[in-house]
Amino acid sequence: MSWIEIPAGSPFPLGNLPLGIGHSGDDRWRAWVAIGDMALDLAAVEQLRLFGSVGLPDGVFAQAGLNRYLASGRSVWRTVRERLTVLLSDAQYAPSLNDHLHPLTALEMGLPVWVGDYVDFYSSIHHATNLGRLFRPDGEALMPSWRRIPIGYHGRSGSLVPDGTEIVRPTGYRLVDGEPIVGPTAALDIELEVGTVVGTASTLGHPIPIAEAGEHLYGMCLVNDWSARDVQAYEYQPLGPFLGKSFATSMSAWLVSFDALAPFRVPSVSQDPPPAAYLTTSEPWAFDLHLEVWLDSAAMRAAGEPPVCISRTGFADMYWTPAQQLAHLTVNGAAVRPGDLFASGTVSGATPGSEGSLIELTRRGARPLTLPDGTTRSFLLEGDRVTLRGWAGSDPATRIGLGSLSGTVSPGGE
Ligand code: CA
């Protein structure tokens, strides 16, 4: 129990303690921990010397990114988590901390880390199969390598944007009646994904053994990997996604640690063929998360209509896990650094209504969605706002939430 009142169903109970970077209107970017509807200023907690002798670098929470904190390693993360649990549950600390608690609604949140490298994986077998069928109707939906290795590509970290950022409709080459033309995308889409953030670095030339993944991986957040499907379809062969994906990727504000998610670890799905030794672990690295996509149009908001849920899906049956993704991405000797991000790939389930993108939900526009304002959607229109939500746990009193992640489509320039 916390001395702070935590509303029922809050994504941020005492068992969560997610970290983020924000400011309280003073432009002093610093680290915060969310608790209920509030957030505690960690730079202030550090100044009050309330972390004790944890071994934190000086001023580690008074920075605009959590990278230095993440670099301090798992034993420090665990000690800080234990210390925060004590500070937020023992009422003797309330008088010292009350002045440093701010309502979440009063904070402007940025990206939780400076992301040096960003990899976009493709690890849902349902999504990869659906997309393969849509993009290559006459070929095999899954490429032969798909079941052997976690397929991914290096993305553009400079286009990562925080929660609430407007998404400008991108321009690119696309085919219209078989003719390539340049213009704004007519197929602006979302991808519901879960991001994994690297804590501690590795050394170039030294792969991370999968058994050590837990030492290197800090935690998870929500990711919306905005996509221009027509641009993507024109450019993706032979080298993969480029401009169809690199114009914007939204990342949620609060990093939820793997320690907070530990009660929701589950064995991953069985893999056929069995993965290579470097991708094999007996540790359960799948996570039983529930994920949702919500949509509202500008007209719905003007009429006071609430957003509608267009997809509900689960994360537990992802084919490749974060540990396998990390082992794979470093097996050639590539190094990771604190704050590196890898996105899971679009999370889609096996059943209708559980797809994590519009191209799947609408069968590439053949079956448009109808919104409460009477309009239909194959892909996103100007003013549309997409909100992702995710959490672990079926009991609203104890669920561990990833929070939410929104973006609104704005018109692009030619
Ligand atoms: Ca993606």
Side-chain angles (χ1 to χ4, degrees):
M1 288 289 287
S2 175
W3 48 268
I4 296 160
E5 193 182 312
I6 297 174
S10 164
F12 306 135
L14 187 59
N16 193 343
L17 303 178
L19 305 186
I21 294 288
H23 71 83
S24 55
D26 54 8
D27 216 27
R28 212 158 47 78
W29 293 88
R30 52 205 194 270
W32 302 78
V33 59
I35 176 93
D37 289 340
M38 310 292 282
L40 178 65
D41 179 343
L42 294 182
V45 177
E46 193 184 1
Q47 279 206 324
L48 292 167
R49 305 264 170 232
L50 287 174
F51 282 119
S53 52
V54 169
L56 284 170
D58 269 354
V60 72
F61 290 128
Q63 305 196 347
L66 288 164
N67 302 58
R68 271 186 76 206
Y69 171 66
L70 298 186
S72 61
R74 188 157 75 160
S75 69
V76 171
W77 310 335
R78 287 194 165 163
T79 314
V80 165
R81 179 174 168 76
E82 283 161 17
R83 191 67 196 143
L84 285 173
T85 305
V86 171
L87 294 174
L88 293 168
S89 56
D90 186 338
Q92 68 160 304
Y93 295 105
S96 328
L97 295 179
N98 262 327
D99 284 352
H100 305 294
L101 276 170
H102 294 247
L104 288 175
T105 51
L107 296 183
E108 181 181 337
M109 301 301 295
L111 294 177
V113 284
W114 291 292
V115 179
D117 281 305
Y118 160 52
V119 172
D120 188 21
F121 280 103
Y122 192 51
S123 291
S124 157
I125 198 165
H126 306 300
H127 172 72
T129 304
N130 290 341
L131 222 63
R133 283 189 187 129
L134 289 166
F135 274 19
R136 296 180 300 277
D138 302 324
E140 282 289 318
L142 284 185
M143 292 289 180
S145 56
W146 198 90
R147 288 171 178 272
R148 295 276 183 193
I149 52 176
I151 298 291
Y153 66 94
H154 291 288
R156 188 164 186 82
S157 49
S159 304
L160 285 162
V161 295
D163 181 29
T165 303
E166 285 210 334
I167 304 303
V168 176
R169 179 177 295 275
T171 283
Y173 253 111
R174 62 193 167 99
L175 289 179
V176 176
D177 299 327
E179 287 300 313
I181 64 148
V182 178
T185 176
L188 183 55
D189 199 355
I190 56 145
E191 291 194 334
L192 165 65
E193 307 198 27
V194 175
T196 296
V197 172
V198 171
T200 55
S202 65
T203 308
L204 195 68
H206 295 267
I208 297 178
I210 194 166
E212 292 172 22
E215 297 295 324
H216 289 274
L217 298 179
Y218 177 78
M220 295 181 127
C221 61
L222 293 167
V223 171
N224 187 346
D225 183 24
W226 304 87
S227 299
R229 297 299 182 193
D230 40 11
V231 177
Q232 181 186 357
Y234 187 61
E235 74 182 3
Y236 87 104
Q237 288 177 319
L239 278 185
F242 194 46
L243 303 187
K245 296 282 190 166
S246 62
F247 57 95
T249 304
S250 300
M251 180 180 185
S252 61
W254 296 102
L255 278 189
V256 177
S257 67
F258 282 118
D259 286 325
L261 290 169
F264 306 99
R265 289 174 79 132
V266 290
S268 50
V269 295
S270 92
Q271 294 176 308
D272 180 24
Y278 81 93
L279 293 170
T280 301
T281 174
S282 56
E283 278 186 85
W285 265 104
F287 292 86
D288 189 11
L289 304 179
H290 177 86
L291 303 168
E292 294 180 348
V293 182
W294 293 75
L295 174 65
D296 59 1
S297 66
M300 287 167 67
R301 291 195 295 281
E305 287 259 18
V308 283
C309 185
I310 61 170
S311 177
R312 288 187 167 88
T313 193
F315 191 63
D317 68 346
M318 291 295 277
Y319 194 86
W320 297 104
T321 68
Q324 290 176 315
Q325 291 168 343
L326 181 72
H328 183 62
L329 118 80
T330 62
V331 73
N332 66 347
V336 293
R337 293 174 291 183
D340 282 1
L341 171 70
F342 43 99
S344 58
T346 308
V347 185
S348 291
T351 53
S354 67
E355 302 92 337
S357 67
L358 285 170
I359 192 173
E360 293 167 88
L361 284 163
T362 70
R363 307 295 184 269
R364 208 174 192 170
R367 282 192 248 160
L369 305 174
T370 302
L371 300 185
D373 64 8
T375 60
T376 59
R377 288 295 182 281
S378 298
F379 293 101
L380 297 171
L381 300 181
E382 269 56 12
D384 286 352
R385 178 173 61 184
V386 175
T387 302
L388 310 184
R389 296 183 190 286
W391 63 85
S394 48
D395 179 357
T398 56
R399 69 171 52 149
I400 300 294
L402 296 174
S404 65
L405 175 62
S406 291
T408 306
V409 179
S410 71
E414 288 253 2

